[in-house]
Amino acid sequence: MASVKRAYMDSLSKPLTLSQKVFVRSRKGKATKVVQEHYLRTDIPCSSQLCSTCSLNPPKDSSGTARPFVLSSDPPSVKSWGPHYLVPDTNIYMKAMDLLEHFAAFYDVIVLQTALDELRNLSLPLYNRLRALTRSQEKRFYVFHNEFRLETFVQRLEGETINDQNDRAIRNACVWYCVHLQEAVAGTGKSAPAILLLSDDKDNIKKAKELGIVCTTLEPYVKELPQADTLLDMIVVESDEGSSGPNQYSYPEYYSTSRIQGGIKEGLLHQGILNINQYNFLEGSVSVAGFERPLLILGRESINRAMHGDIVVIELLARDQWKQPSTKIIEEEAVTKNDNPEDDTQESIVTAQERRALIEEAHQAQHSSAEFRVQPTAKVVGIVKRNWRSYVGHIDASSVPADVASARRQSSVFLIPMNKCIPKIRLRTRQAANLLGKRILAAVDSWEPTSRYPEGHFIRTLGDIETKDAETEALLLEYDVQYHQFTQAVLDCLPKEGHGWRVPTDTSDPLWKGRKDLRDLLVCSIDPPNCQDIDDALHARSLPNGNFEIGVHIADVSHFVKPDTAMDTEAASRGTTVYLVDKRIDMLPVLLGTDLCSLKPYVERFAFSAIWEMTPDAEIVNTSFTKSVIRSKEAFSYEQAQLRIDDKSMTDDLTQGMRTLLRLSKILRQKRMDAGALNLASPEVKVQTESETSDPMEVEVKQLRETNSLVEEFMLLANISVAAKIYEAFPQSAMLRRHAPPPATNFEVLADQLRVCKGMTLRCDTSRVLADSLDNCADPDEPYLNTLIRIMATRCMLAAEYFCSGTMTYPEFAHYGLASPIYTHWTSPIRRYADVVAHRQLAAAINYEILHPSLRDKPKLEQVCQNINQRHRNAQFAGRASIEYYVGQALKSREIDAEGYVMKVFSNGFIVFVPQFGVEGPIHLRDLGNPEPPCNFDEERYTLVFREGTDKETKLQLFDRVVVHVETVVEESTGKRKVALRLKKPLVV
């Protein structure tokens, strides 16, 4: 301990302010001297509740309130080290963040500024997770700014590396804490807790022991914690480099960084996001600028350890090696089901079965004369950015050793992810037997060239497979939906009056400033049944000149959610509200979303109003925007509004206003269609659930009424009007939404399918031409065929996206699907953060308030757009996955025959879409008989001819209407209960 005290006393001789002169060279070569000053203080607290010295002068927040100390006076204790505060170094944060987040251990942790800053430079996602831990009141993680405390600051020594300096700073902080706490408890009869340095850096541990610092590596520490078996499984197993034997196969090595950079610069290499085919795990594709079609990546060697969503570098193969997309359904579980997770020494990267599948594809391509199907083919030669995240799945029972339950030894097992685009992950675990039948969360740590599978570690169990809570949490995790409770810092941003908040009765109140009093207007809302977060309301009234005043009134969320607040940061991070069958994951706290912002009937609410004067032909005479106060007269469901409009006995002013809105909406819709707007489709069903248990009861196809279109048209008009206004005011930073025109090649296959199978012509020269073609793709004998074609056409489109106006030229702003030159989202600020940004920009555009600086910052807005684009997509996927789960549960004990349509034909099966349940699924030839019945696949005619047993030949073609037997099974490959389809006889012809 003498060395600890000596180091502490030596540190007190440092100055309070350090200056450093550096020279910064400009692009033109001019050198500028910059003086950097580093201020050191003695009042940065230790934040231990045992310390009376630091508590005399606690730090205060912006309101002058003293911040409570974080570290407990009774920290956790383990056998070898007793009560202690934990000080991890940077490598622990890099490899054990899942451990640190676990509820069973790791409390009272001192996060040193040195480690925090180093982590930020190494991994921003891990840095953000650590920051979240420091905001958690339960975990008690305290950020100690050691680089600004006089006694703990260290200067870099001559010849010392930055890494060595950081390690020395961490050790120095441990020394200070140890001495400081001993002095704090002196004379109190209490014992100071140990300061335990946690590191897996051997050199750091050695030097710490020389200073008398209590220290240990991660695994021995974890072994003494509660739930040690679970926690040990969460430790990242580092790869053993150079372990490959002489006979071992290997993936190709990635190109060097310099070769990749040079190749991209010269146009010899390309980069893009890898997408794996959900029906064939051996096929991927990468969309690259300059190529009309995605580049194909075929086979395990060419995919080369890249995973779905990775940003990869690819090299184009010679033209004679170009292939066409797969014509087979190839599932990883069927091909690799006999693999041994323990055998990682003599394995071949590509199995014989995989090679046979690829050879069959090559033979099929040779016999095809459809040149347009051949696509440029490439191989992965490098990874720019891994998309590794936490994956949800289940343990492959066949990979668990028979004696594992009794041996309680660590063994290798396979995790089969829920997402079929993700390969099996090899895990090392001591609890394999206990994890069978569970939905679990795991992370990928590495993928070595000599291993067929990525290596990962267990994080936690979600619950039993098929249970509602486990499956719901699984899909939220799978699609990265932020479903944690709102922090206290966010809740502190809410009005103190809570549900008792009211619009001030006195119109001279400052909150009324700049607002119009529109409470006398006959405003109503029209939404789905039981809607609580009501974003929008409408009104219509006649004007003396024969025109109409039309108003769209939107919840004034920006009044309650201010920039640079905890609530705004959280809303920006979540990006959108996520709607599941049985619950809603809110972007904003419930107090705002379903009460204070929601435009509920019979109560006064702040709103942001767009008001137009329109002629009877729906021509816009003028447009205005204003902050307002409204009082909605009624909240209708779509069905209720339709019934009221259709009821001729209803002649009151509110009903007449709704009829005016409906009539004008039809004219607006026709104008959009005439301009080339697309009427696309998606398979939409709704699940009726039991009110108390949320158990599914029935599955119904969504019914769209005229009132659905009424609301849609005026929301579109409002969004287009606002987009023009904010772009006019802020041409460099307006929050807009675009839908790029799809490449003509996207429709080549669908156009050929319609020509061959139905004798129909599909053209896509412009959106108007495409819209007309889709209208003509109809068959009076097959009423649903046109909807099916529109669903397939929708999948040929590019995704719409948010963007900052200053990053593109005006022609690129256009929304292809809506046939509008400019567009934004403004009408749903309760559930979309993009709308909140648009509200703030519109408020500034009409001089209601000054625009916050962050809304002029293009780089920051681009970051916001990037996040909300991803969140929006994930929310859609999560919603669909929730419906899929509940459809499966609703049909769990039922077997039904239903009509379906053949959507895709493969050489070993076909995909059928069932409109009644909004699901599609494969029917494999192998399921029609054992052995698999022989077949004749005509790729150019999109037909599959096969014979079941002694039955006559069955011929299927794309778009055929069939009868299928619908039941549900637990899918072996994913552990999910899914709708399973079986072909019935006779076929419907």
Side-chain angles (χ1 to χ4, degrees), residues 95 232-233 235-239 410 428 445-446 455-457:
K95 68 186 295 185
L232 285 168
D233 284 351
I235 296 178
V236 174
V237 179
E238 297 187 354
S239 60
Q410 191 177 55
R428 298 284 293 172
D445 302 322
S446 63
E455 304 280 347
H457 68 271

Side-chain angles (χ1 to χ4, degrees), residues 23-32:
F23 290 89
V24 179
R25 189 173 297 278
S26 68
R27 291 181 180 178
K28 295 182 178 180
K30 183 179 179 181
T32 304

Side-chain angles (χ1 to χ4, degrees), residues 91-323:
N91 69 71
I92 298 297
Y93 293 127
M94 286 292 296
K95 68 186 295 185
M97 193 61 71
D98 293 323
L99 271 171
L100 296 171
E101 292 172 334
H102 200 279
F103 67 90
F106 295 95
Y107 292 83
D108 292 300
V109 175
I110 300 169
V111 180
L112 297 179
Q113 177 194 354
T114 298
L116 189 65
D117 290 346
E118 191 173 11
L119 183 66
R120 180 173 54 190
N121 293 328
L122 293 171
S123 172
L124 191 58
L126 289 177
Y127 168 82
N128 290 331
R129 288 170 66 182
L130 182 56
R131 269 297 186 189
L133 283 173
T134 65
R135 294 191 291 268
S136 168
Q137 296 180 356
E138 295 81 13
K139 293 289 283 182
R140 303 190 296 276
F141 277 53
Y142 170 61
V143 177
F144 177 64
H145 293 275
N146 61 299
E147 295 189 11
F148 290 97
R149 173 107 193 182
L150 173 64
E151 303 92 334
T152 56
F153 172 77
V154 300
Q155 284 185 294
R156 187 174 174 184
L157 303 176
E158 185 176 351
E160 186 178 42
T161 67
I162 294 177
N163 185 62
D164 289 342
Q165 180 193 12
N166 289 340
D167 288 345
R168 187 162 58 89
I170 291 170
R171 295 192 297 272
N172 194 51
C174 290
V175 169
W176 178 82
Y177 253 103
C178 183
V179 174
H180 177 78
L181 290 179
Q182 286 178 351
E183 293 177 350
V185 300
T188 65
K190 299 178 181 179
S191 298
I195 300 300
L196 179 57
L197 172 62
L198 193 61
S199 174
D200 276 351
D201 184 327
K202 294 179 181 178
D203 187 58
N204 199 17
I205 289 288
K206 178 184 176 183
K207 291 179 179 178
K209 287 180 178 179
E210 292 172 355
L211 289 173
I213 298 172
V214 180
C215 54
T216 184
T217 54
L218 183 61
E219 187 168 341
Y221 179 77
V222 172
K223 284 181 177 179
E224 297 203 16
L225 298 176
Q227 302 186 25
D229 281 353
T230 299
L231 298 176
L232 285 168
D233 284 351
M234 298 169 70
I235 296 178
V236 174
V237 179
E238 297 187 354
S239 60
D240 186 10
E241 296 183 6
S243 62
S244 61
N247 299 321
Q248 193 169 34
Y249 291 89
S250 175
Y251 283 104
E253 291 288 344
Y254 294 141
Y255 289 177
S256 66
T257 302
S258 59
R259 184 176 178 182
I260 286 175
Q261 290 174 344
I264 291 176
K265 187 176 181 180
E266 295 175 14
L268 302 177
L269 303 177
H270 311 276
Q271 68 178 32
I273 298 174
L274 176 69
N275 292 293
I276 299 296
N277 187 336
Q278 63 173 323
Y279 295 117
N280 183 348
F281 80 104
L282 295 176
E283 177 184 288
S285 63
V286 178
S287 294
V288 174
F291 288 85
E292 291 184 340
R293 302 190 186 111
L295 305 186
L296 278 181
I297 317 291
L298 295 176
R300 197 186 285 269
E301 281 180 310
S302 292
I303 295 173
N304 195 8
R305 293 170 286 148
M307 289 174 63
H308 182 71
D310 285 352
I311 300 177
V312 298
V313 177
I314 56 177
E315 183 175 48
L316 199 64
L317 299 178
R319 191 178 183 87
D320 60 359
Q321 298 181 58
W322 290 8
K323 302 290 194 305

Side-chain angles (χ1 to χ4, degrees), residues 568-582:
D568 184 58
T569 301
E570 182 68 20
S573 178
R574 296 189 178 211
T576 182
T577 293
V578 180
Y579 293 91
L580 308 181
V581 169
D582 64 328

Side-chain angles (χ1 to χ4, degrees), residues 738-743 798 814 816:
R738 69 189 288 265
H739 183 206
L798 301 177
Y816 181 81

Side-chain angles (χ1 to χ4, degrees), residues 26 30 61 85 289 292 488 528 616 625 672 685 727 819 826 837 943:
S26 68
K30 183 179 179 181
D61 59 22
Y85 294 147
E292 291 184 340
Q488 190 59 48
F625 305 97
R672 283 199 307 111
V685 297
Y727 176 62
W826 176 76
V837 175
T943 59

